[in-house]
Amino acid sequence: QLRLVESGGGSVQPGGSLRLSCVASGVTLDDYDIGWFRQAPGKDREGVSCAFSHTTSTVTAGSVKGRFTISRDNAKNTVYLRMDNLEPEDTARYYCAASFRGDFCRTYEYDVWGQGTQVTVSP
């Protein structure tokens, strides 16, 4: 069965960088749309960036466009989220998720979720 495990979160200062990893087991990752989502306390879970199966197509939220980059390493069954120039507003728990039918990088489209990894950006 598909299982996703995130790692790479931590605490950084504004302007810093992190690379989040999402390792899939049980299936071929490239058969699924994979998205990164985040949720801050008191806020809805929101799409950050999604990569669609069997294509090079991606979507990225306007708030992080130009700073965050999603990528795949299919040989390692891993999806990454490179996060550069982090801002305090990026503080949230970040989740990766897999979809069988994703089109819009929205939470409701995604079926299997990891446990998340915390990202905290503060002085």
Side-chain angles (χ1 to χ4, degrees):
Q1 294 283 74
L2 173 60
R3 188 170 69 94
L4 303 173
V5 179
E6 304 97 329
S7 63
S11 296
V12 298
Q13 295 180 343
S17 297
L18 289 170
R19 188 179 71 165
L20 307 184
S21 299
C22 175
V23 179
S25 60
V27 299
T28 299
L29 185 63
D30 196 40
D31 289 339
Y32 294 85
D33 302 333
I34 301 294
W36 285 98
F37 299 80
R38 67 186 183 185
Q39 187 168 23
K43 304 279 285 186
D44 292 334
R45 192 171 298 182
E46 299 179 334
V48 176
S49 189
C50 294
F52 301 107
S53 62
H54 303 113
T55 75
T56 57
S57 297
T58 64
V59 295
T60 303
S63 60
V64 304
K65 193 171 297 182
R67 300 188 297 119
F68 292 10
T69 303
I70 190 170
S71 62
R72 294 176 180 260
D73 185 339
N74 289 325
K76 298 180 69 173
N77 240 29
T78 301
V79 175
Y80 302 98
L81 185 69
R82 166 62 70 178
M83 310 164 70
D84 294 314
N85 195 23
L86 284 159
E87 303 170 352
E89 293 75 18
D90 298 317
T91 296
R93 191 166 184 86
Y94 284 71
Y95 301 85
C96 69
S99 174
F100 307 116
R101 63 189 186 279
D103 289 315
F104 305 107
C105 200
R106 295 180 180 175
T107 302
Y108 72 85
E109 299 178 303
Y110 283 74
D111 305 292
V112 179
W113 293 80
Q115 293 300 118
T117 185
Q118 180 68 34
V119 172
T120 301
V121 186
S122 65

